[in-house]
């Protein structure tokens, strides 16, 4: 299924869990084409409870509507520890691509992995650094932890299905990625783009142009002025329409590296609303799927033309993620550091 008004195709993924091999193969082919051509697609037929999505919006909006002092009680402690609240102007996504821009016009709240097993040394600070540090849950709204925890699990399950489709699209066994994402270091974020009556600074975005870092991202966006845009291979910024009941999916830098850039990690941004557009507040729910911290991302041999060398050296998922985080918040290249550098931020 496609949307003639958008460069981003809309794909019904219900056949991925159905019993029709031909229908499943057709969906896999659509996903593979989208990853090669634009790196973005939207999914319907995903089976996610839309009531849960609404509860996520409601509880997150209630959190952002609180006094700043209340939100600051769960403020993110430092650039390397992505847990808790960041206010408007405290980061710029474009910095992750080494581009200096004015701070972004949004506030956000992040959590990392939930339901982390107790006592398993794999998850310890000594081995994992800060990737499994505890989340900072606000006292209010009281239901926030339970709703976000449920949504995190549902998004992770959806990512697992999509990663299986990715494997098939790359002519690999469907479970190829399974042992690389079974202890993932994914994150869930709500981004609130407040209404503002003042004009942005030159070059200022709600979220500056950037690529995502990991394997894939799932976004639930809201219909409001000033929305998500993708940068096409033709050099144009094109809007990504809101599809009722759908989710936006895009691949990140690690998936591009895995495929030697056969699949595209596309730059995207959230633009300021047009002047005089009325109430422009909008919120996005974003799930950043990130493989296990020790998963070694090496270019797939099938993606390297005969006689050529891979474009990318092997890198672990965790080290790659840290370097991007620091750039996003510090406004400059990240220092060389490993997972242990996160311990001080706990």
């Amino acid at each position: 299924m496609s949307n003639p008004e958008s460069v981003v195709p809309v794909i019904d993924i219900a056949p991925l869990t159905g019993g029709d091999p031909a229908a499943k193969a057709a969906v896999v082919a659509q996903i593979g084409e989208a990853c090669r051509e634009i790196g973005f697609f939207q999914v319907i037929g995903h089976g996610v409870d839309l009531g849960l999505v609404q509860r996520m919006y409601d509880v997150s909006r209630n959190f952002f509507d609180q006094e700043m002092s209340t939100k600051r009680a769960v403020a993110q402690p430092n650039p390397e520890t992505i847990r808790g609240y960041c206010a408007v102007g405290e980061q710029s996504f474009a910095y992750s691509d080494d581009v200096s821009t004015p701070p972004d016009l949004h506030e956000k709240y992040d959590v990392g992995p939930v339901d982390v097993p107790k006592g398993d040394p794999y998850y310890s600070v000594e081995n994992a650094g800060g990737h499994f540090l505890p989340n900072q849950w606000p006292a209010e709204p009281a239901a926030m932890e339970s709703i976000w925890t449920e949504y995190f699990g549902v998004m992770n399950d959806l990512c697992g299905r999509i990663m299986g489709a990715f494997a098939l699209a790359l002519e690999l066994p469907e479970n190829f990625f399974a042992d690389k994402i079974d202890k993932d270091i994914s994150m869930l974020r709500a981004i609130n783009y407040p209404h503002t009556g003042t004009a942005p600074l030159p070059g200022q975005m709600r979220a500056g142009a950037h690529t995502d870092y990991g394997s894939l991202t799932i976004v639930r966006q809201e219909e409001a002025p000033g929305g998500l845009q993708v940068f096409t291979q033709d050099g144009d910024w094109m809007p990504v329409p809101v599809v009722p009941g759908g989710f936006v999916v895009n691949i990140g830098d690690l998936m591009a590296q895995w495929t030697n850039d056969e699949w595209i990690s596309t730059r995207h941004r959230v633009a300021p609303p047009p002047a005089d557009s009325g109430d422009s507040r909008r919120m996005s729910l974003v799930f950043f799927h990130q493989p296990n911290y020790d998963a070694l991302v090496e270019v797939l041999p099938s993606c390297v033309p005969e006689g050529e060398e891979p474009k990318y050296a092997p890198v672990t998922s965790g080290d790659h993620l840290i370097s991007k985080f620091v750039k996003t918040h510090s406004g400059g290249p990240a220092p060389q550091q490993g997972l242990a550098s996160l311990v001080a931020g706990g």
Side-chain angles (χ1 to χ4, degrees):
M1 178 179 177
S2 63
N3 184 340
E5 299 178 358
S6 175
V7 296
V8 177
V10 180
I11 303 173
D12 185 343
I13 63 170
L16 292 180
T17 52
D20 185 340
K24 182 174 182 177
V27 170
V28 167
Q30 291 177 65
I31 289 174
E33 181 180 9
C35 291
R36 288 189 301 272
E37 296 297 325
I38 187 64
F40 269 79
F41 55 97
Q42 300 207 53
V43 296
I44 58 174
H46 43 69
V48 174
D49 176 11
L50 297 183
L52 173 60
V53 176
Q54 188 59 53
R55 292 193 294 277
M56 271 292 294
Y57 269 114
D58 292 344
V59 77
S60 302
R61 189 172 286 109
N62 288 342
F63 170 77
F64 288 121
D65 284 345
Q66 297 179 109
E67 295 293 331
M68 180 59 71
S69 60
T70 303
K71 293 183 284 189
R72 289 283 192 197
V74 289
Q76 181 176 320
N78 58 53
E80 299 92 347
T81 308
I82 312 300
R83 301 287 188 274
Y85 174 75
C86 280
V88 175
E90 291 187 344
Q91 70 169 178
S92 176
F93 286 155
Y95 284 153
S96 64
D97 284 343
D98 295 320
V99 176
S100 181
T101 64
D104 291 341
L105 297 171
H106 68 254
E107 58 181 342
K108 69 183 184 75
Y109 175 85
D110 290 282
V111 302
V114 298
D115 296 331
V116 176
K118 305 293 184 183
D120 186 332
Y122 181 90
Y123 300 93
S124 69
V125 170
E126 291 77 15
N127 292 321
H131 292 305
F132 294 101
L133 287 174
N135 290 306
Q136 297 195 90
W137 297 108
E140 295 293 336
M144 193 157 175
E145 180 175 358
S146 62
I147 293 171
W148 275 58
T149 297
E150 181 180 0
Y151 190 82
F152 194 108
V154 168
M155 288 295 103
N156 227 350
D157 290 345
L158 178 56
C159 285
R161 276 183 277 153
I162 294 173
M163 290 292 286
F166 282 177
L168 293 173
L170 293 164
E171 299 182 349
L172 298 166
E174 188 170 4
N175 67 350
F176 175 83
F177 294 111
D179 64 351
K180 302 166 185 63
I181 62 173
D182 58 345
K183 301 178 181 69
D184 60 288
I185 53 173
S186 303
M187 291 191 308
L188 175 58
R189 172 177 298 168
I191 308 178
N192 185 48
Y193 303 99
H195 173 74
T196 176
T198 60
L201 298 171
Q204 192 170 34
M205 294 282 137
R206 286 182 140 179
H210 63 285
T211 58
D212 288 345
Y213 315 148
S215 40
L216 67 101
T217 303
I218 299 180
V219 180
R220 177 64 179 226
Q221 57 173 346
E222 198 169 36
E223 189 71 73
L228 179 63
Q229 299 176 339
V230 297
F231 194 65
T232 70
Q233 294 191 66
D234 294 329
D236 299 317
W237 284 105
M238 299 294 292
V240 180
V242 174
V243 172
F247 292 95
V248 179
V249 178
N250 63 278
I251 66 168
D253 297 341
L254 281 187
M255 188 57 65
Q257 290 187 208
W258 246 322
T259 64
N260 210 39
D261 288 337
E262 282 193 10
W263 287 10
I264 303 169
S265 181
T266 298
R267 292 172 68 221
H268 50 285
R269 68 186 187 186
V270 179
D276 302 322
S277 58
D279 186 1
S280 61
R281 178 181 181 176
R282 71 193 304 270
M283 190 186 302
S284 293
L285 307 175
V286 189
F287 189 81
F288 298 101
H289 187 254
Q290 185 81 23
N292 304 354
Y293 66 79
D294 56 353
L296 189 64
V297 178
E298 299 181 273
V299 171
L300 298 167
S302 61
C303 295
V304 182
E306 186 174 353
E308 296 186 14
E309 294 295 319
K311 294 181 181 179
Y312 300 100
V315 64
T316 63
S317 165
D319 282 341
H320 183 269
L321 184 63
I322 294 167
S323 68
K324 291 288 190 176
F325 280 160
V326 176
K327 288 184 182 183
T328 300
H329 288 262
S330 68
Q336 294 300 314
Q337 54 188 310
L339 294 172
S341 68
L342 294 188
V343 176

